[in-house]
Amino acid sequence: MKVLVPVKRVIDYNVKVRVKADGGGVDLANVKMSMNPFDEIAVEEAIRLKEAGTVTEIIAVSIGVKQNQETLRTALAMGADRAILIIAADDVHTDIEPLAVAKLLKAVADEEQPGLILLGKQAIDNDMNATGQMLSALLGWSQATFASELSIDDNFATVTREVDGGLQTIKAKMPAIVTVDLRLNEPRYASLPNIMKAKRKQLDEKTPADLGVDITPRLTIIKTTEPSERKAGIIVADVAELIQKLKDEAGVL
Amino acid sequence: MAVLVLAEVNGAELSLDQTAKTVTAVASLGDVTVLCASSGCAGAAEAAAKIEGVAKVLCADDAAYGNGLAEPIADLIVSLAGDYDYIVAPATTDGKNILPRVAALLDVMVISEVTTIVSADTFERPIYAGNAIQTVQSSDAKKVMSIRTTGFEAAPETGSASVETINAVANPGLSEWVEDRVQTSDRPELTSAKIVVSGGRGVGSKENFAIIEQLADKLGAAVGASRAAVDSGYAPNDWQVGQTGKVVAPDLYIAIGISGAIQHLAGMKDSKVIVAINKDEEAPIFQVADYGLVADLFDAVPALNDALG
Ligand SMILES: Cc1cc2nc3c(=O)[nH]c(=O)nc-3n(C[C@H](O)[C@H](O)[C@H](O)COP(=O)(O)OP(=O)(O)OC[C@H]3O[C@@H](n4cnc5c(N)ncnc54)[C@H](O)[C@@H]3O)c2cc1C
Ligand SMILES: Nc1ncnc2c1ncn2[C@@H]1O[C@H](COP(=O)(O)O)[C@@H](O)[C@H]1O
């Protein structure tokens, strides 16, 4: 079984985000970029499935700018077999909407015929939490989101999902879309020899036009602003003062 | 304009708070119809009919809708979509599971975690873990969006909408429910509690978390946790507050042994009053706290418990 793993290049989760003063968005020039943390978990899960003999080939796919090559090389160094880059923008500030990403991924899935697609539950830049569900709708496949445990047999993916009430287990018919949550696994680091090897792995480039997909955005970004800042308050001396302040000053006790 | 709100139904019970806050958020957009889809949803539908501002409640009672599975509920919503300009749900795990599927089936974008409705087609939503606020204008004929409910008051229970029973649509049978492992507790719900007491990695163990829970119970509060505390097994996953957990905005949030990573702040920085207890005076949580106490939590929390009697 082939597995497809879409990986997004995003601002590194440790970087403090700076909103441009003109309302034009978040400053991504000269900022450390990394693979979306959820997608690292998806790649790791695919590798574990391959190690267990369930999966035969792992194809990493990224959509965005030319520089997404780096993200795909990371996936290849971790253990993906080959990669597909869909160049859909030339400015790193252009974010491709989940609907367009899902349409591009559907086109790739139609060509590659994977048995499973593992995505992150959410991209930490746009915080949309949508692409997997949309792709699943477009393919007419089952969907299992927010996975913290996954096992695969011929007919079903059995998935434990992290939901608001606790945990839910469902069986999703294969082929399935699974979006992964943080507690599914701990992704490995790529070793130096594997990083070297990854440079020689196959990385194909395509465009949305090659795949016949219209990626015109449906949402126009009018402006991007800083949230109102919270100011630091005071340091209290002890528990007694804390209780007094909460009662008399804040009025919350 | 007509608005369809997918009610938050857990089991057969309406989550009144999430649903009523969503109704408040969308009231300016048009006539609100609430859809209750579950197994045995009559009670939930009746409860939804009491939400002020609701014009009509649709009750789709079928085993296929009993466990929140996305595929059958999305198909049901799509079958109704012709009558509505907006399809909306609270940004719960159910809402976020179902709505993007609906949007793709309708060939429109989904707009996740809307915090402000600026006009009929323009909305604000946080991005980058709440470090930026984006204003987006939708060109889609139908708007499908989830609402971050923390910024809205719940509509009161003074309404009396009519309830209409509707038929289920064909179940695509793509997935099956196996089991729910749900924590039941007498504490208030995390997302609607007036006070939240959260513990982080500093708490050190599952056993130690008892002092956090004890403080919560003294205050009639819900218990929250950082991702590190959940990952370490000190607390269950549904207590996680943050960018990828729950978003809360109580009157009082007490962060104990939590450093204040941006992903955690994303879930609590709109709380009215924030208290931080941490032994490291440099911890970033103090930059957002109204009241900081630099102390060992194993001294401070028992002292708080004693002082509160
Ligand atoms: C993609 C992604 C998503 C994430 N989503 C979330 C999320 O939704 N929610 C979330 O919380 N995190 C999330 N994180 C993790 C986040 O980055 C931090 O790692 C996490 O919040 C740290 O938890 P913590 O503050 O409990 O632990 P730490 O950062 O280890 O802090 C522990 C604190 O406890 C203090 N302490 C230790 N002992 C004591 C004592 N005896 N008395 C008093 N204080 C003490 C220390 O001084 C320290 O400040 C996410 C990370 C990623 C990459
Ligand atoms: N541009 C992209 N390239 C590759 N994968 C993507 C892209 N955008 C989204 N994804 C995938 O979809 C998941 C959810 O993203 P989102 O719906 O944007 O929150 C991510 O974790 C990725 O697995």
Side-chain angles (χ1 to χ4, degrees), chain A residues 4-142:
Chain A
L4 219 61
V5 189
V7 295
K8 188 174 187 186
R9 181 173 184 265
V10 298
I11 194 167
D12 187 85
Y13 80 94
N14 272 316
V15 172
K16 172 95 181 79
V17 168
R18 277 195 24 247
V19 179
K20 288 194 262 178
D22 64 359
V26 162
D27 196 355
L28 296 177
N30 305 314
V31 173
K32 185 177 180 215
M33 304 291 280
S34 299
M35 191 190 298
N36 184 39
F38 290 94
D39 304 352
E40 290 182 354
I41 294 170
V43 173
E44 174 65 34
E45 196 64 18
I47 298 168
R48 290 186 191 188
L49 288 169
K50 193 177 170 198
E51 287 167 349
T54 316
V55 158
T56 49
E57 188 182 27
I58 302 167
I59 306 161
V61 188
S62 194
I63 295 151
V65 291
K66 186 98 181 160
Q67 294 93 308
N68 288 30
Q69 280 178 349
E70 291 163 27
T71 316
L72 288 168
R73 291 287 169 209
T74 305
L76 293 169
M78 287 175 75
D81 297 292
R82 62 187 168 91
I84 300 171
L85 170 58
I86 302 170
I87 299 182
D90 40 40
D91 178 354
V92 290
H93 294 91
T94 309
D95 192 42
I96 312 297
E97 287 175 353
L99 180 63
V101 171
K103 287 180 178 178
L104 293 166
L105 292 173
K106 176 181 186 296
V108 173
D110 287 342
E111 277 179 18
E112 298 284 351
Q113 298 287 318
L116 175 70
I117 304 180
L118 288 171
L119 303 93
K121 93 161 173 184
Q122 177 172 342
I124 62 161
D125 51 1
N126 66 21
D127 283 332
M128 275 289 184
N129 191 333
T131 306
Q133 298 88 315
M134 293 189 127
L135 176 58
S136 166
L138 298 179
L139 286 166
W141 292 8
S142 65

Side-chain angles (χ1 to χ4, degrees), chain A residues 11 13-17 19 26 28 38 41 97-100 102-103 121-138 140-146 149 156 158 160-174 181-183 185 217-228 230-240 242-243 245-247 249-250 252-253, chain B residues 8 67-71 91-94 96-98 100-101 103-105 107-113 122 124-140 172-183 195 219 227 230-231 237-238 240 243-246 251-252 254 262-263 268-275 277 286-294 299-300 303-304 307-308:
Chain A
I11 194 167
Y13 80 94
N14 272 316
V15 172
K16 172 95 181 79
V17 168
V19 179
V26 162
L28 296 177
F38 290 94
I41 294 170
E97 287 175 353
L99 180 63
K103 287 180 178 178
K121 93 161 173 184
Q122 177 172 342
I124 62 161
D125 51 1
N126 66 21
D127 283 332
M128 275 289 184
N129 191 333
T131 306
Q133 298 88 315
M134 293 189 127
L135 176 58
S136 166
L138 298 179
W141 292 8
S142 65
Q143 84 178 45
T145 50
F146 324 147
E149 276 175 62
F156 292 101
T158 303
T160 299
R161 309 177 52 233
E162 294 205 356
V163 294
D164 286 342
L167 295 170
Q168 176 179 67
T169 305
I170 63 170
K171 280 165 72 171
K173 246 193 206 152
M174 300 296 279
D181 217 320
L182 293 170
R183 277 172 282 276
N185 62 46
R218 307 297 182 84
L219 304 179
T220 308
I221 300 165
I222 309 262
K223 63 174 188 225
T224 306
T225 53
E226 295 241 21
S228 50
R230 260 196 110 93
K231 279 207 210 63
I234 58 161
I235 296 291
V236 295
D238 52 28
V239 164
L242 177 61
I243 292 179
K245 293 278 185 200
L246 290 177
K247 280 195 172 135
E249 201 173 270
V252 286
L253 283 192
Chain B
E8 178 74 9
N67 305 103
L69 293 178
E71 304 95 335
T92 56
T93 46
D94 278 348
K96 289 191 280 195
N97 191 30
I98 296 166
R101 191 174 180 96
L105 292 172
D107 192 28
V108 303
M109 248 303 276
V110 68
I111 312 170
S112 307
E113 303 264 4
T122 305
E124 282 181 13
R125 57 181 302 270
I127 54 173
Y128 292 95
N131 285 300
I133 309 292
Q134 199 173 58
T135 306
V136 293
Q137 185 172 27
S138 165
S139 61
D140 283 319
L174 291 167
S175 52
E176 288 168 29
W177 174 80
V178 178
E179 66 165 344
D180 285 333
R181 272 170 283 164
V182 178
Q183 303 263 339
I195 305 180
L219 296 169
R227 174 188 168 194
V230 177
D231 284 2
N237 67 283
D238 50 305
Q240 182 175 316
Q243 180 185 18
T244 53
K246 287 184 179 146
D251 293 342
L252 174 60
I254 308 182
I262 51 167
Q263 294 86 3
M268 46 65 80
K269 71 179 159 63
D270 291 331
S271 304
K272 290 205 182 75
V273 175
I274 296 175
V275 170
I277 303 176
F286 288 123
Q287 290 163 21
V288 299
D290 300 286
Y291 302 103
L293 177 58
V294 181
D299 299 327
L304 261 173
L308 293 167

